[in-house]
Amino acid sequence: MIQIETDYLVIGAGAVGLAFVDTLLDEDPDCHVTIVDMHAKPGGHWNDAYSFVALHQPSAFYGVNSMGFGDDVVDDHGPNKGLFPLASGTEVSAYFSHLMNRRFLPSGRVSYHPLSEYLGKDDDMVGTFKSILSGKETKVKIRRKVVDGTFYKTSVPATHKRQYAVADGTPLVIPGELPDLWMRSDDLPGHYVIVGAGKTAMDAGVWLLEAGVDPDHISWVRPRDSWLINRTYTQPGPDFFEDVVKNQIAQLKAAAEAETGDEMFEILGREGYMLRIDPNVKPEMFHYATISEGEVDLLRQIKKVIRHGRVKAIEPGKMTFADAEVAVPEDALFIDCTATAVPFNEDREHGPQFRGDTITLQPLHVPLVTLSAAMSAFLEANFDDDATKNALGTPSPLTDTPNTYPLGMLTNFMNRGAWAQNPKIAAWLAKIRLDPTGQTVAKLMSEGSPKLAVMGGFQEAIAVGIPGLQRLAAAAKAEH
């Protein structure tokens, strides 16, 4: 028996699904949306993240389009000094709860079902979801489409499955448990071992150092080093506009000059647009992690870096790798940071976003996932057929290595070119908060600001950079 009806059934109440719904409500005033999510609160993986997690990027262009996030006061202390503050996980969760309770539900056009598992739909567009706690199933007639907001399969330490063996009695925590160490002040570890090389591991390292742990009492297992985006060049607003544009020009020129993605990153690293923790080690990974130069300086204090590939097993006082065993102090606490935010070995339903009765939300401008989701909603509401929508929004591949990055960057530029040539989309981008530069450019143009002079080098960079990206992207496809 059908119990409820809706126009769009959205699977997932994470940042992506919520950004889609937010824009859809504005662009299609008559539609009704039902959201089904397994968490107890909106916000997706932010519900499971470690307590000291923070956004990599400024809050100014994260979240949903209709509701501002963050303030315009830069940090005056700490490793992020001189840059816009990074919202904490608590602030992000509160933001999404506020969105649901103050905008979505009072509209009368959104039905929200937390702690519920989507079970699928039949050929008659009748979907089923089940309450996780009671097991009760609900049938919903879907008048238009199912929207899948789970493509990214985001993983955090609290929810992922470790890929190494842990012997009984091994002291092991996930990052979220570190702030509770104060409760065992008479039995603190004498050493800490960070396992993992991604942004979570970097956050754990910064947290330990800022908490006063001696760098000599920290070991760090880094199977691969990563290139990191210099946060200086991702800042919003007029004060940082010239730096942001210079970064884009530099990337295009590096693509024209380089023979490989690796070489492109080396060029950008020499110019300071990309960062790495160890200047003597070639990074093999790039996941769009964004970091400040102050954080890099902190992390370089950790000298005990272990490079034997992925750990196979841990036990008190010892780690085992494929070709080595490494001793650590017997009282060392292992910190598991091996979760990959976006697992690259997961099977995903890659392909166009718009697929008849289903929309599979994917990145259209990596790494700006909420802008991408909002754009998908705008396309859905303002264009009639799937072919047109898909032509205006080609999914960008998720990048794992420097060599595959040019493929994603090229897709970004091709999408942005298509948007700029469409008057309806261009007008929308000029006024939305999720686009990092749209409102800033409009403001500077209205003021006749001399800062716009930096744009003079952009067209020349495009002329040489796009052919370079095409060349590098062709090589990247084989690796990807």
Side-chain angles (χ1 to χ4, degrees), residues 23 27 45 107 150 194 236 240 253 302 310 334 367 371:
T23 295
E27 297 297 320
H45 76 279
S107 73
T150 67
I194 301 171
F240 292 91
K253 289 184 174 180
I302 302 174
R310 298 183 185 279
F334 293 92
L371 170 63

Side-chain angles (χ1 to χ4, degrees), residues 262-428:
D262 278 324
E263 187 179 344
M264 178 180 171
F265 273 69
E266 290 286 352
I267 294 170
L268 294 170
R270 290 195 295 269
E271 297 174 346
Y273 295 105
M274 292 289 177
L275 303 173
R276 53 179 159 183
I277 296 171
D278 190 333
N280 299 312
V281 175
K282 175 185 174 182
E284 299 176 357
M285 179 170 62
F286 179 66
H287 292 171
Y288 290 96
T290 305
I291 200 167
S292 71
E293 294 177 58
E295 288 170 297
V296 170
D297 289 341
L298 272 176
L299 292 170
R300 284 177 176 167
Q301 297 178 26
I302 302 174
K303 304 298 184 182
K304 295 179 180 178
V305 179
I306 300 165
R307 304 182 188 280
H308 291 289
R310 298 183 185 279
V311 66
K312 298 295 184 181
I314 62 173
E315 59 185 272
K318 188 173 74 173
M319 291 181 289
T320 302
F321 299 85
D323 60 356
E325 289 186 354
V326 176
V328 296
E330 289 287 337
D331 61 351
L333 175 68
F334 293 92
I335 307 167
D336 178 36
C337 300
T338 58
T340 302
V342 180
F344 290 90
N345 58 353
E346 288 278 1
D347 291 330
R348 289 182 176 82
E349 197 176 351
H350 291 274
Q353 284 200 118
F354 298 93
R355 311 170 186 181
D357 59 17
T358 301
I359 303 172
T360 301
L361 298 177
Q362 298 171 64
L364 303 181
H365 189 299
V366 285
L368 305 179
V369 296
T370 55
L371 170 63
S372 298
M375 175 59 74
S376 300
F378 186 85
L379 296 177
E380 167 66 10
N382 288 280
F383 298 90
D384 293 330
D385 60 277
D386 283 359
T388 300
K389 297 171 191 176
N390 287 324
L392 290 167
T394 301
S396 294
L398 300 172
T399 298
D400 186 35
T401 68
N403 279 337
T404 57
Y405 172 70
L407 186 56
M409 185 178 174
L410 177 64
T411 307
N412 283 356
F413 273 109
M414 301 308 289
N415 280 337
R416 296 295 303 215
W419 300 344
Q421 294 173 26
N422 185 288
K424 186 182 294 185
I425 297 176
W428 180 69

Side-chain angles (χ1 to χ4, degrees), residues 71-343:
D71 55 40
D72 58 357
V73 179
V74 300
D75 283 340
D76 60 5
H77 65 281
N80 197 56
K81 183 177 179 179
L83 305 177
F84 283 99
L86 309 174
S88 68
T90 302
E91 290 171 321
V92 176
S93 295
Y95 171 88
F96 286 127
S97 291
H98 187 83
L99 171 74
M100 182 65 71
N101 293 318
R102 297 295 180 88
R103 168 163 160 79
F104 283 8
L105 296 181
S107 73
R109 297 166 56 202
V110 175
S111 174
Y112 172 49
H113 299 270
L115 291 170
S116 296
E117 179 183 5
Y118 175 63
L119 302 179
K121 63 176 175 60
D122 61 23
D123 293 339
D124 295 323
M125 290 292 286
V126 175
T128 304
F129 60 88
K130 179 179 69 174
S131 167
I132 292 173
L133 298 185
S134 71
K136 177 184 175 182
E137 293 188 359
T138 299
K139 299 290 186 182
V140 50
K141 175 62 179 176
I142 307 161
R143 292 187 288 259
R144 300 189 196 174
K145 296 182 179 181
V146 171
V147 181
D148 183 359
T150 67
F151 173 83
Y152 297 90
K153 299 184 184 296
T154 305
S155 172
V156 296
T159 60
H160 90 115
K161 182 178 180 181
R162 285 188 291 271
Q163 301 300 307
Y164 56 89
V166 180
D168 290 344
T170 303
L172 173 69
V173 297
I174 57 175
E177 296 173 286
L178 289 175
D180 295 334
L181 288 176
W182 70 272
M183 290 187 284
R184 45 184 280 193
S185 57
D186 58 344
D187 184 32
L188 288 171
H191 198 84
Y192 299 85
V193 181
I194 301 171
V195 183
K199 190 59 169 59
T200 299
M202 298 175 207
D203 288 348
V206 169
W207 188 90
L208 289 171
L209 292 167
E210 291 194 315
V213 176
D214 190 319
D216 290 338
H217 295 166
I218 303 173
S219 297
W220 189 354
V221 179
R222 291 215 303 260
R224 296 188 296 172
D225 275 39
S226 178
W227 281 110
L228 307 163
I229 297 171
N230 188 335
R231 190 176 293 128
T232 299
Y233 300 101
T234 67
Q235 299 295 294
D239 290 344
F240 292 91
F241 176 73
E242 290 163 297
D243 283 335
V244 171
V245 176
K246 287 177 182 177
N247 176 40
Q248 290 295 308
I249 292 173
Q251 293 204 39
L252 288 162
K253 289 184 174 180
E257 181 181 340
E259 295 297 324
T260 64
D262 278 324
E263 187 179 344
M264 178 180 171
F265 273 69
E266 290 286 352
I267 294 170
L268 294 170
R270 290 195 295 269
E271 297 174 346
Y273 295 105
M274 292 289 177
L275 303 173
R276 53 179 159 183
I277 296 171
D278 190 333
N280 299 312
V281 175
K282 175 185 174 182
E284 299 176 357
M285 179 170 62
F286 179 66
H287 292 171
Y288 290 96
T290 305
I291 200 167
S292 71
E293 294 177 58
E295 288 170 297
V296 170
D297 289 341
L298 272 176
L299 292 170
R300 284 177 176 167
Q301 297 178 26
I302 302 174
K303 304 298 184 182
K304 295 179 180 178
V305 179
I306 300 165
R307 304 182 188 280
H308 291 289
R310 298 183 185 279
V311 66
K312 298 295 184 181
I314 62 173
E315 59 185 272
K318 188 173 74 173
M319 291 181 289
T320 302
F321 299 85
D323 60 356
E325 289 186 354
V326 176
V328 296
E330 289 287 337
D331 61 351
L333 175 68
F334 293 92
I335 307 167
D336 178 36
C337 300
T338 58
T340 302
V342 180

Side-chain angles (χ1 to χ4, degrees), residues 9 55 66 80 100-101 171 352 374 464:
L9 179 61
L55 276 174
S66 72
N80 197 56
M100 182 65 71
N101 293 318
V464 297

